[in-house]
Amino acid sequence: TDLELIRTWSFEGERLIHGTPSGIDNAVATFGGALEFCRSPEGDQIRAIDKPPILRVLLTNTKVPRSTKALVARSRNWLSDMPDVARPILDAVDGVSKQCCLYWKQLEGSSAEEVKLTFSRLEHLVDTNQCLLRCMGVSHPAIETVCRITAEYGLHSKLTGAGGGGCVLTLYAPDSTSVEDLAAVKARLLSAGYGVYDTVLGGAGVTVHTHRR
């Protein structure tokens, strides 16, 4: 199909940038929705999350360039040099991912009170994940600045991608985050020189728009 062709060629682009990509970034960008990914000695596993609930997020571009290959290599060296320290942290990251998928699915069809509780748990996982990534050495002062600014408004942020700069994801609930606070945090981030985008997780992938004249 056309989508499969796009996924295949975008994966080749990922290989040039990343070196040894998982294939999940280009797959979710092509097909949309959300995916679960697991890398193991038995081989990579990618599973689609069926009808994931839409989550609102701010995506902040720190505009700090970084080399994904270099960051991945540094993480591998860290694992090789300090396996007794690194492996428990990586296991915790894996646990955060699995728990996040579980809570995300629980948002669908739950009562308002249950959604509020589950969302607060997701926020806790976002904070936990950022702390673990900081321990891995893949955060950056600009990322920490975004986390600090958003935290002043009760929002929870973490780096996304390879880290070392790049982008930061901030989770927010439209029904509990005021329009005023959202506008204020965006203004603060923009004044700091960052790019800010209001978007969703679990949205559509490649889409063709036609315009009739």
Side-chain angles (χ1 to χ4, degrees):
T1 65
D2 290 341
L3 287 178
E4 184 59 30
L5 183 63
I6 291 170
R7 186 202 66 80
T8 301
W9 278 107
S10 59
F11 181 69
E12 294 304 315
E14 281 276 283
R15 290 177 63 185
L16 292 174
I17 297 171
H18 189 294
T20 55
S22 64
I24 191 170
D25 287 348
N26 59 290
V28 75
T30 302
F31 297 111
L35 302 174
E36 293 180 67
F37 171 79
C38 179
R39 172 161 284 172
S40 68
E42 292 74 34
D44 296 348
Q45 298 178 6
I46 298 178
R47 295 184 296 271
I49 298 177
D50 186 43
K51 297 179 181 178
I54 298 296
L55 288 178
R56 301 292 315 185
V57 296
L58 292 180
L59 189 63
T60 302
N61 183 0
T62 65
K63 301 181 182 178
V64 175
R66 77 280 189 275
S67 168
T68 301
K69 285 183 180 179
L71 286 162
V72 170
R74 189 168 71 184
S75 295
R76 284 177 176 160
N77 290 336
W78 169 66
L79 175 59
S80 176
D81 292 342
M82 297 184 284
D84 291 342
V85 174
R87 290 194 183 282
I89 293 175
L90 293 172
D91 288 341
V93 170
D94 182 54
V96 166
S97 299
K98 291 175 178 176
Q99 198 68 54
C100 183
C101 287
L102 178 64
Y103 287 149
W104 195 3
K105 294 171 185 176
Q106 288 177 357
L107 289 173
E108 189 68 25
S110 298
S111 67
E113 194 61 32
E114 289 171 332
V115 167
K116 185 177 180 180
L117 176 60
T118 301
F119 199 87
S120 69
R121 289 170 172 167
L122 282 172
E123 290 175 329
H124 190 184
L125 288 175
V126 167
D127 292 339
T128 302
N129 189 235
Q130 177 59 24
C131 287
L132 293 168
L133 293 167
R134 188 183 302 119
C135 291
M136 291 171 62
V138 294
S139 191
H140 184 278
I143 292 172
E144 297 301 326
T145 297
V146 174
C147 292
R148 186 179 68 253
I149 291 173
T150 55
E152 292 177 15
Y153 296 86
L155 303 177
H156 303 259
S157 304
K158 64 174 290 293
L159 68 86
T160 182
C167 293
V168 180
L169 179 151
T170 301
L171 193 63
Y172 77 89
D175 57 348
S176 61
T177 305
S178 71
V179 174
E180 292 77 16
D181 279 352
L182 196 58
V185 74
K186 288 179 182 178
R188 286 278 303 280
L189 293 169
L190 288 170
S191 68
Y194 305 136
V196 185
Y197 308 91
D198 196 335
T199 185
V200 298
L201 294 181
V206 173
T207 305
V208 176
H209 297 277
T210 59
H211 299 277
R212 295 180 179 178
R213 294 184 178 179

